[in-house]
Amino acid sequence: MKNLPYIVTAILVVLTALFAILNRVWAGFVYFALSALLVLSLFWGVWLIYMYFTDFKLQLAQQYKYFRAKKIGEGQTTESVFNQNEASFKKEFNKSVLKDKIARWGIIIFCFGVALAFILGMVWY
């Protein structure tokens, strides 16, 4: 499962290159090339959404543990104060990782935007 995106990407890039070369023989192969690229961009969009809701959520939980340990370990607060004000510390942590979340969703939206561009390319070609 770890190498799945690389395998799918390699296969679809090779197919796209093959269809681009075969475009010299028959002009209809351009639709096959565009559809392979469409599948590739949709795959990456779906894969990144899957990774966001599985691995990224686990990474955030792990980062929160480190954030908590850092706050308590540096002497900024005690464990009892941290537990009493956990909502405010959680809010501070969420502000610190907001940029990372926005960047990940931006990449996902970009993948689907590229897919839309390939659809429009097939319609207008």
Side-chain angles (χ1 to χ4, degrees):
M1 187 83 166
K2 182 179 178 182
N3 294 326
L4 179 68
Y6 304 114
I7 294 169
V8 170
T9 301
I11 291 170
L12 288 174
V13 167
V14 168
L15 281 175
T16 301
L18 178 68
F19 292 141
I21 292 170
L22 290 175
N23 186 31
R24 294 179 183 152
V25 176
W26 178 52
F29 278 114
V30 74
Y31 292 107
F32 291 108
L34 287 173
S35 64
L37 291 171
L38 171 69
V39 170
L40 180 64
S41 61
L42 288 175
F43 170 78
W44 272 103
V46 171
W47 180 259
L48 290 173
I49 289 173
Y50 169 74
M51 294 303 288
Y52 180 84
F53 286 114
T54 56
D55 287 348
F56 185 64
K57 292 291 184 177
L58 294 174
Q59 287 176 1
L60 287 180
Q62 189 70 21
Q63 285 178 355
Y64 182 72
K65 288 179 186 178
Y66 290 133
F67 174 79
R68 183 176 190 268
K70 183 179 176 185
K71 288 287 184 182
I72 294 171
E74 288 180 347
Q76 294 178 357
T77 185
T78 63
E79 187 173 358
S80 61
V81 171
F82 190 91
N83 290 336
Q84 289 173 353
N85 299 324
E86 189 165 2
S88 64
F89 284 111
K90 191 80 157 169
K91 192 174 188 179
E92 181 183 342
F93 174 73
N94 285 337
K95 283 182 183 178
S96 68
V97 296
L98 180 64
K99 183 175 139 183
D100 204 21
K101 288 181 181 180
I102 290 172
R104 288 187 186 255
W105 279 107
I107 293 169
I108 292 168
I109 290 170
F110 175 76
C111 288
F112 287 114
V114 170
L116 180 65
F118 288 129
I119 291 173
L120 293 176
M122 284 190 280
V123 170
W124 286 337
Y125 184 74

